[in-house]
Amino acid sequence: MKGGKLIVFSAPSGSGKTTIVRHLLKQEKLNLEFSISCTSREPRGDEKDGEDYYFISIDQFKKHMKNDDFVEWEEVYRDNFYGTLKSEIERIWAMGKNVIFDIDVVGGLRIKKKFPERTLAVFVRPPSVEELKIRLKKRKTESDEKINMRIAKASVEMATAPRFDYIIENDQLEKALLEADQLVANHLSKPESHFVNLKDLEHKEEE
Ligand code: 5GP
């Protein structure tokens, strides 16, 4: 198995990163596959297990942590754990595809640190925190309390933007989508590295 590339999209909740990631997944020439994360939160709206997330219990999540099954994990909100299984990256590479992640800023930067050469880490910046609040309210999938929790976190997340390879300003969606297309295509056109599997790679690329 020859490992592919890793594309990370991180941003505060409601900034539009999921829309951008879905758009990129439709571009066949990019050969991307979505990294399905594990989460201990409940499914929202019409989310499906094994498609949007692997919805698991906190106990199952902790078991994975103990077994060192995650390449990264985070308690993104209190009692809501999210994490990327190593087996998920291996699954996608075995398909001969590149991995695209929709994960929080801490997780995104962790992937970049572990695999600096093959990862493109993109931060999606919303026009303002005020605009985020409006978008989250429109989405109508969370209680006011949960929305406020997400907004409170957004300011801290915004401050991490300069640590990413690239910042996409999402004030006009069409422009943001085009920019994302170009960025990803450019990253994928760079020569592939020769590492054989995830384990070797972690040792080679990790500092
Ligand atoms: P949501 O509950 O809105 O689906 O996700 C909340 C936040 O957790 C989002 O910023 C989302 O990108 C992030 N997230 C989803 N999966 C993972 C993951 O595997 N690891 C980390 N660190 N964050 C994740």
Side-chain angles (χ1 to χ4, degrees):
M1 177 180 62
K2 190 175 175 189
K5 298 262 172 77
L6 306 173
I7 317 283
V8 169
F9 275 82
S10 296
S13 187
S15 58
K17 72 174 181 300
T18 305
T19 309
I20 296 178
V21 167
R22 288 204 181 125
H23 163 82
L24 290 168
L25 280 163
K26 282 195 221 134
Q27 317 296 313
E28 270 180 37
K29 64 175 191 310
L30 298 176
N31 196 27
L32 301 173
E33 185 75 15
F34 181 61
S35 165
I36 305 168
S37 298
C38 291
T39 183
S40 66
R41 81 151 163 78
E42 295 292 316
R44 225 172 33 209
D46 58 2
E47 285 178 333
K48 290 193 185 65
D49 184 44
E51 223 171 271
D52 299 283
Y53 282 106
Y54 301 116
F55 292 100
I56 61 176
S57 66
I58 294 194
D59 279 354
Q60 284 172 306
F61 201 100
K62 291 196 169 153
K63 213 173 264 171
H64 279 309
M65 278 159 62
K66 215 168 129 206
N67 292 344
D68 195 24
D69 293 335
F70 290 117
V71 65
E72 65 79 34
W73 64 269
E74 197 61 34
E75 187 176 3
V76 178
Y77 305 107
R78 195 146 62 90
D79 287 338
N80 282 354
F81 292 84
Y82 296 78
T84 308
L85 290 170
K86 293 176 183 172
S87 58
E88 187 62 11
I89 298 182
E90 278 159 356
R91 174 181 79 83
I92 295 171
W93 282 354
M95 296 162 75
K97 293 190 151 198
N98 303 296
V99 189
I100 186 160
F101 302 87
D102 173 342
I103 61 179
D104 91 317
V105 295
V106 180
L109 290 170
R110 205 162 273 157
I111 299 264
K112 176 71 191 176
K113 190 162 183 227
K114 279 199 168 171
F115 311 110
E117 287 165 28
R118 62 180 61 215
T119 304
L120 170 71
V122 182
F123 185 91
V124 181
R125 185 153 55 197
S128 66
V129 173
E130 214 23 63
E131 174 66 23
L132 271 189
K133 203 170 189 167
I134 295 168
R135 289 186 193 176
L136 286 175
K137 288 206 159 156
K138 257 198 210 151
R139 197 157 88 178
K140 290 197 181 123
T141 48
E142 280 126 320
S143 61
D144 281 353
E145 188 200 342
K146 291 225 163 115
I147 290 179
N148 288 338
M149 200 165 78
R150 284 172 186 252
I151 293 297
K153 197 164 188 247
S155 310
V156 180
E157 291 169 324
M158 298 276 254
T160 66
R163 295 170 58 196
F164 283 75
D165 295 322
Y166 206 88
I167 301 172
I168 290 184
E169 308 283 349
N170 191 11
D171 42 3
Q172 283 174 278
L173 185 62
E174 281 309 311
K175 205 173 115 246
L177 295 179
L178 199 66
E179 211 173 336
D181 278 345
Q182 287 165 350
L183 270 177
V184 173
N186 181 43
H187 180 66
L188 296 180
S189 70
K190 290 179 190 158
E192 290 221 7
S193 89
H194 53 274
F195 301 118
V196 185
N197 60 41
L198 194 62
K199 218 170 188 170
D200 290 348
L201 209 67
E202 274 186 294
H203 291 137
K204 286 265 184 201
E205 294 196 9
E206 207 168 2
E207 285 170 351

